[in-house]
Amino acid sequence: MKKATDKPGRMITRTIEQIENRKITKAERERLNRVAALPDDQIDTSDIPEVKDRAGWVRVHEHPEHPLHRVLSRLLSIRLPEPDIALAQRLAESKGLPYQTYIKSLLHEALERERVLAERR
């Protein structure tokens, strides 16, 4: 887990367990209640990029206790060398994971590392 900072623009990574077990402060609860009471047309969503084409996208996770946490996923076909697939299958099995999930997590970690490096330049 990355350290939480007060610096704007910094991304903080937390596990689902950390998020679920985090205690909401009184001030946060009051703010959430104020926003929840607003009609949808009065909530400023101008900083959220609009997704124009959702073709091929599906909702893969909707947490029952966190209805605003929705992850969209899109089907992707990619060709990988057989030895890489075999290695990923062995490593995933040793970790008790499906190999496609394991490959997806490796890709996500690598992309996050590259994003951090790019921001430092």
Side-chain angles (χ1 to χ4, degrees):
M1 181 177 93
K2 296 177 187 173
K3 287 187 175 179
T5 66
D6 292 331
K7 296 178 185 176
R10 298 288 245 179
M11 182 175 286
I12 300 168
T13 304
R14 292 189 174 98
T15 65
I16 292 292
E17 291 79 23
Q18 289 170 321
I19 292 168
E20 289 174 345
N21 296 327
R22 181 179 172 273
K23 301 292 184 209
I24 297 175
T25 66
K26 184 178 179 181
E28 289 171 326
R29 185 165 308 284
E30 289 170 358
R31 184 170 182 227
L32 287 170
N33 288 336
R34 282 195 308 273
V35 173
L38 287 174
D40 287 348
D41 62 348
Q42 290 185 12
I43 298 174
D44 179 15
T45 59
S46 61
D47 61 338
I48 302 172
E50 186 158 341
V51 178
K52 301 271 188 213
D53 179 20
R54 294 186 182 193
W57 291 69
V58 294
R59 183 171 295 143
V60 295
H61 176 75
E62 184 170 338
H63 197 284
E65 296 176 23
H66 305 283
L68 298 179
H69 179 71
R70 295 186 178 105
V71 178
L72 295 177
S73 181
R74 184 170 51 165
L75 180 63
L76 172 71
S77 177
I78 184 170
R79 293 183 185 274
L80 298 173
E82 282 290 336
D84 290 347
I85 296 171
L87 177 58
Q89 287 173 327
R90 284 194 309 273
L91 293 171
E93 184 178 2
S94 72
K95 295 176 182 287
L97 295 170
Y99 79 97
Q100 290 181 353
T101 301
Y102 179 65
I103 290 172
K104 188 166 54 171
S105 70
L106 290 175
L107 178 59
H108 177 74
E109 290 169 7
L111 290 171
E112 278 298 307
R113 266 195 316 272
E114 289 298 315
R115 182 189 59 76
V116 168
L117 289 173
E119 287 177 355
R120 290 182 184 167
R121 291 182 206 147

